[in-house]
Amino acid sequence: MARLAKNPKPRPPAAAAEPLHASTEEYLAWMQAQNFSEDTVNTRRACIGYFLDWCRERALENPVEITRPILERYQRALYHYRKKNGDPLTFRTQNSRLRALKGWFRWMARQNYILHNPASELLLPRLENRLPKYILSAEEAERVIAQPDTATPEGLRDRAILETFYSTGMRRMEVANLKLYDIDSERGTVMIRQGKGKKDRHIPIGERALAWIAKYIREARPTLLASSEDGTVFLTDEGAPFHRTQLTTLVRGYLRRSKIGKAGGCHLFRHTVATLMLENGADIRVIQEMLGHAKLSTTELYTRVSINLLKQVYKATHPAASLKPRQVAARDAEAEVELLATLAAEALAEAEDEL
């Protein structure tokens, strides 16, 4: 089967004979006018671009030519597509590409470019509820953070970056966009402006991270600073703000150098922060605010990751967890009824999902 373009390159505006391309540009312009984030717009552009390339190979040029069977053919093409290394697209990737099309066709139907929305009943792939593959222990995190050579300006900068990731659990985009005036050393806080979903939040940062950031700003940043100054805290060797992929490359390099046997990137520190805080008794809603999760269910993922906490509770409550017999506490009848009711509700929900 024809290969799907992985990274559609920017191409000149399509001729008037390609209404699909023209409607895409209008849709993206509408998203920008509705104050969608730049990342969201770029992601939609890429996802729709894959579909446009697929349509072009089949001489499909007009929105009215796209029917539900055609979209289902494209969905099957995504499922059977193989990358250069032979791996299939993950169901999460397939889901995101199809979700972008659903939003696009819904917009075209509202704008009366098409009489009905062919994607309205398109079923998206079910997503796996995956756990993070790796989590760092506190000792492993310290080992990674200690890798940069702080005798050089670049190493001092990298140490400050790693300390920031580990202290705050910030997203790489948030670290890349951090400004000098966002750091309040006296209060021990960081203001994250226009984070995911264009939401601001105020979070604490550790004293050690602040000390390394201050040392970097005082001793290394002036040597990295280019002629222009916009207040960005962390600068590349060329004096420009970091791109997200550059931060990922930086973190992966120090992970490999530490030889801890765990792979990952910037998000590995985010997972680590959440898990270690949870294991040390932090309330899950505090972690939710710290990480900037819009939904508590996203943060609840880490209650499953925290195997140490689970083992502690298991050992304290399961009669067969130890070789030595344990004294069984009196049961709380009310709590038992509530637990059974919860389990019954979950079982019912699972049964309905299978229908």
Side-chain angles (χ1 to χ4, degrees):
M1 72 175 241
R3 290 180 61 84
L4 297 173
K6 184 176 180 181
N7 291 310
K9 298 180 179 178
R11 56 175 67 88
E18 290 192 46
L20 271 175
H21 183 90
S23 66
T24 302
E25 295 304 318
E26 288 188 44
Y27 172 59
L28 297 174
W30 172 84
M31 290 185 66
Q32 292 172 328
Q34 296 298 314
N35 200 29
F36 281 84
S37 72
E38 182 181 352
D39 285 336
T40 300
V41 174
N42 289 338
T43 300
R44 291 288 175 90
R45 182 188 300 276
C47 290
I48 296 174
Y50 302 134
F51 178 68
L52 291 179
D53 288 340
W54 185 86
C55 289
R56 191 171 292 109
E57 294 174 355
R58 290 155 182 79
L60 297 171
E61 300 177 346
N62 199 300
V64 298
E65 297 176 319
I66 308 302
T67 61
R68 178 178 168 184
I70 287 177
L71 291 176
E72 290 174 343
R73 282 178 56 196
Y74 177 67
Q75 184 172 10
R76 288 193 295 272
L78 290 176
Y79 175 76
H80 291 290
Y81 175 74
R82 293 297 179 267
K83 294 180 283 189
K84 291 182 179 179
N85 62 3
D87 292 340
L89 297 176
T90 65
F91 283 109
R92 188 167 296 278
T93 297
Q94 296 176 46
N95 185 287
S96 64
R97 294 191 184 183
L98 294 170
R99 191 175 296 278
L101 296 185
K102 287 177 75 73
W104 179 37
F105 279 101
R106 182 168 58 247
W107 174 83
M108 282 195 285
R110 290 175 178 173
Q111 300 297 317
N112 294 320
Y113 288 125
I114 51 180
L115 293 178
H116 70 281
N117 178 5
S120 61
E121 297 183 8
L122 185 67
L123 298 179
L124 299 178
R126 295 183 64 177
L127 296 179
E128 310 99 326
N129 197 4
R130 302 288 296 274
L131 296 176
K133 189 173 183 179
Y134 295 114
I135 299 293
L136 300 179
S137 66
E139 293 75 16
E140 290 170 335
E142 295 292 346
R143 186 171 169 180
V144 176
I145 290 172
Q147 293 304 310
D149 179 7
T150 55
T152 66
E154 295 80 8
L156 185 53
R157 173 204 60 202
D158 295 352
R159 177 63 185 259
I161 289 174
L162 294 175
E163 290 280 358
T164 302
F165 275 124
Y166 183 45
S167 180
T168 64
M170 292 168 64
R171 300 179 177 93
R172 59 180 183 173
M173 171 187 69
E174 296 166 346
V175 171
N177 294 337
L178 194 63
K179 303 295 183 183
L180 294 170
Y181 51 77
D182 292 330
I183 302 173
D184 189 337
S185 298
E186 292 185 4
R187 299 179 62 190
T189 60
V190 172
M191 171 62 78
I192 298 175
R193 304 180 191 276
Q194 300 290 284
K196 190 173 182 179
K198 288 199 169 185
K199 296 177 181 178
D200 296 347
R201 71 181 190 279
H202 218 180
I203 63 172
I205 183 171
E207 293 179 358
R208 191 180 74 178
L210 285 172
W212 280 104
I213 292 172
K215 183 175 176 64
Y216 154 72
I217 292 175
R218 184 175 60 253
E219 301 177 13
R221 189 174 182 275
T223 66
L224 298 172
L225 187 63
S227 56
S228 59
E229 165 70 286
D230 66 353
T232 300
V233 175
F234 298 115
L235 303 174
T236 64
D237 296 355
E238 292 74 30
F242 273 87
H243 188 271
R244 291 174 302 171
T245 55
Q246 291 175 303
L247 285 175
T248 298
T249 301
L250 182 149
V251 172
R252 285 178 177 170
Y254 288 119
L255 280 168
R256 285 193 295 269
R257 188 184 301 182
S258 68
K259 297 181 180 180
I260 60 174
K262 293 182 179 180
C266 306
H267 231 68
L268 180 59
F269 279 103
R270 190 168 166 83
H271 296 322
T272 299
V273 168
T275 304
L276 293 180
M277 287 182 64
L278 182 67
E279 290 181 348
N280 286 303
D283 185 89
I284 192 171
R285 294 189 181 275
V286 173
I287 301 175
Q288 177 190 13
E289 180 67 23
M290 183 91 175
L291 299 183
H293 286 157
K295 298 179 180 179
L296 185 62
S297 58
T298 307
T299 315
E300 285 174 342
L301 169 72
Y302 297 103
T303 64
R304 299 170 56 198
V305 174
S306 181
I307 187 63
N308 290 337
L309 183 61
L310 181 60
K311 287 171 65 177
Q312 291 175 13
V313 175
Y314 171 76
K315 188 173 182 179
T317 58
H318 197 294
S322 175
L323 291 174
K324 297 179 180 180
R326 56 181 292 274
Q327 189 70 30
V328 180
R331 294 187 299 179
D332 186 330
E334 184 177 347
E336 183 177 356
V337 170
E338 182 178 352
L339 176 60
L340 292 174
T342 301
L343 293 174
E346 290 177 354
L348 179 60
E350 291 181 2
E352 290 176 346
D353 285 343
E354 297 299 326
L355 296 178

